[in-house]
């Protein structure tokens, strides 16, 4: 696992966006589709904004990108203002040149949720698997809607949401927790781990305890993102605030081994903003 530490959330997000753009551009040279897993929520917003800016500047095309989103609320239609379909269209897809046929998002209105989840896994397999899965992390260390206690081998399925997750997401529902759906369709931990690469963005003091558990403690289904300890190509990019619970030695170690990575980023982009 790599841990790349930036001064702030904006700089961490810009680095992640440029990393993703570089991976997509490299794949486009051989005409093969780039299959990208995507999250919603506040964590990736700056990444999406930077990718949109890069697209508008002619630095990247998404014409050959196929996407699979992590999750969707059960009971919300695609046009509901708080659905993840709507979120992705408003915050990313409407602003880039992606082919709409290449966008995959779970259907929260599916009558047969088990079938919907099975077909989603089959669609990922049919695309040749996910090349890079971008994700965020909850304050309790969860990935997608794989709440604490989720199986580390789980696949796409329906999940009950914890009170903590509903409280965290209530800000998107006018602060009213009663409006937050209690269940969601989500890719599993195993689904994420099948991606050839996983990139996680973590920001803020509220995520510090979880980051410490994920990086410094053992593999534990109560901190589902700890699964990354078993992934052959996993990157966590974070800001300084998120490292507050890490040992000083841990922070110094990762800063030392990633200093060239940060240096290249500064030279290519003009540094942190």
């Amino acid at each position: 696992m790599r841990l790349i530490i930036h001064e702030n959330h904006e700089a961490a997000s810009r680095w992640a966006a440029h990393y993703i753009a570089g991976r997509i551009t490299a794949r486009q040279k051989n005409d093969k589709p780039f299959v990208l897993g995507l999250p919603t929520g506040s964590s990736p917003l700056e990444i999406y904004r930077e990718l949109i800016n890069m697209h508008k500047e002619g630095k990247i095309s998404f014409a050959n990108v196929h996407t699979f989103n992590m999750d969707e609320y059960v009971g919300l239609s695609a046009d509901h203002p708080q659905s993840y379909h709507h979120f992705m269209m408003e915050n990313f897809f409407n602003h880039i040149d992606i082919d709409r046929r290449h966008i995959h998002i779970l259907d929260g209105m599916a009558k047969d949720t088990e079938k919907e989840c099975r077909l989603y896994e089959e669609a990922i397999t049919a695309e040749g698997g996910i090349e890079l899965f971008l994700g965020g992390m909850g304050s309790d260390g969860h990935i997608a809607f794989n709440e604490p206690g989720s199986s580390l081998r789980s696949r796409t399925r329906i999940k009950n949401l914890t009170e903590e997750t509903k409280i965290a997401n209530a800000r998107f529902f006018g602060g009213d927790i009663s409006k937050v759906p209690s269940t969601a369709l989500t890719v599993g931990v195993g689904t994420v781990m099948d991606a050839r690469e996983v990139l996680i963005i973590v920001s803020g003091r509220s995520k510090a305890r979880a980051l410490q558990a994920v990086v410094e403690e053992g593999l534990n289904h109560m901190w589902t993102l700890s699964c990354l300890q078993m992934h052959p190509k996993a990157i966590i990019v974070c800001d300084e605030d998120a490292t507050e619970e890490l040992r000083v030695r841990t922070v110094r170690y990762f800063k030392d081994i990633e200093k060239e990575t940060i240096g290249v980023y500064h030279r290519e982009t003009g540094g942190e903003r």
Side-chain angles (χ1 to χ4, degrees):
M1 181 197 301
R2 297 172 63 189
L3 180 66
I4 301 175
I5 303 167
H6 287 268
E7 179 182 355
N8 53 48
H9 174 66
E10 291 74 19
S13 297
R14 288 189 71 242
W15 185 91
H18 283 258
Y19 183 85
I20 294 167
R23 295 282 283 105
I24 291 172
T25 301
R27 173 58 65 90
Q28 287 173 337
K29 293 178 181 178
N30 59 21
D31 273 345
K32 292 183 179 179
F34 189 91
V35 185
L36 180 64
L38 295 173
T40 52
S42 57
S43 294
L45 281 174
E46 288 292 337
I47 297 174
Y48 292 154
R49 292 186 188 112
E50 184 68 12
L51 287 171
I52 290 168
N53 289 337
M54 294 177 72
H55 169 65
K56 290 180 177 178
E57 293 169 359
K59 296 178 180 178
I60 183 174
S61 170
F62 295 88
N64 208 29
V65 174
H66 298 198
T67 66
F68 285 86
N69 263 79
M70 282 188 163
D71 38 37
E72 178 60 284
Y73 288 116
V74 170
L76 298 191
S77 62
D79 59 356
H80 189 285
Q82 299 308 328
S83 74
Y84 288 156
H85 279 78
H86 186 268
F87 177 98
M88 291 304 301
M89 298 306 293
E90 290 295 306
N91 290 290
F92 193 43
F93 294 141
N94 283 341
H95 310 283
I96 58 175
D97 61 338
I98 191 169
D99 188 327
R100 295 296 190 270
R101 295 172 299 177
H102 297 162
I103 296 170
H104 302 83
I105 305 178
L106 286 155
D107 182 4
M109 297 298 289
K111 292 182 179 179
D112 187 337
T113 55
E114 288 189 7
K115 180 180 179 181
E116 174 69 10
C117 294
R118 184 179 70 254
L119 292 177
Y120 206 66
E121 290 278 346
E122 292 175 359
I124 292 173
T125 300
E127 292 277 7
I130 293 173
E131 188 67 27
L132 185 153
F133 225 133
L134 172 66
M137 179 185 73
S139 60
D140 57 4
H142 74 257
I143 175 74
F145 277 127
N146 294 288
E147 305 283 18
S150 294
S151 167
L152 299 184
R153 299 184 66 180
S154 56
R155 313 305 303 188
T156 303
R157 66 210 187 286
I158 188 169
K159 281 288 291 181
N160 294 323
L161 306 186
T162 66
E163 192 76 0
E164 183 175 348
T165 294
K166 292 177 68 176
I167 290 172
N169 290 351
R171 67 189 187 278
F172 301 115
F173 292 81
D176 187 349
I177 189 174
S178 68
K179 294 181 179 179
V180 182
S182 296
T183 56
L185 303 181
T186 180
V187 297
V189 179
T191 313
V192 174
M193 288 290 285
D194 279 351
R196 286 178 279 279
E197 187 169 6
V198 181
L199 174 61
I200 304 296
I201 179 79
V202 180
S203 301
R205 291 182 176 87
S206 66
K207 307 291 180 70
R209 172 64 183 100
L211 184 64
Q212 185 272 328
V214 166
V215 174
E216 294 182 336
E217 297 181 11
L219 190 68
N220 188 335
H221 70 165
M222 297 307 292
W223 306 92
T224 54
L225 193 63
S226 66
C227 66
L228 293 189
Q229 296 177 23
M230 301 294 291
H231 198 283
K233 196 171 184 181
I235 301 174
I236 297 177
V237 56
C238 69
D239 61 10
E240 291 279 0
D241 286 347
T243 69
E244 284 200 347
E245 295 288 336
L246 293 174
R247 296 182 180 92
V248 171
R249 185 176 181 179
T250 300
V251 173
R252 287 177 176 171
Y253 168 76
F254 281 109
K255 284 187 173 181
D256 179 57
I257 64 173
E258 296 292 352
K259 60 186 177 183
E260 181 58 26
T261 298
I262 300 297
V264 170
Y265 163 74
H266 283 179
R267 290 192 294 273
E268 292 181 349
T269 66
E272 299 186 354
R273 295 175 186 171

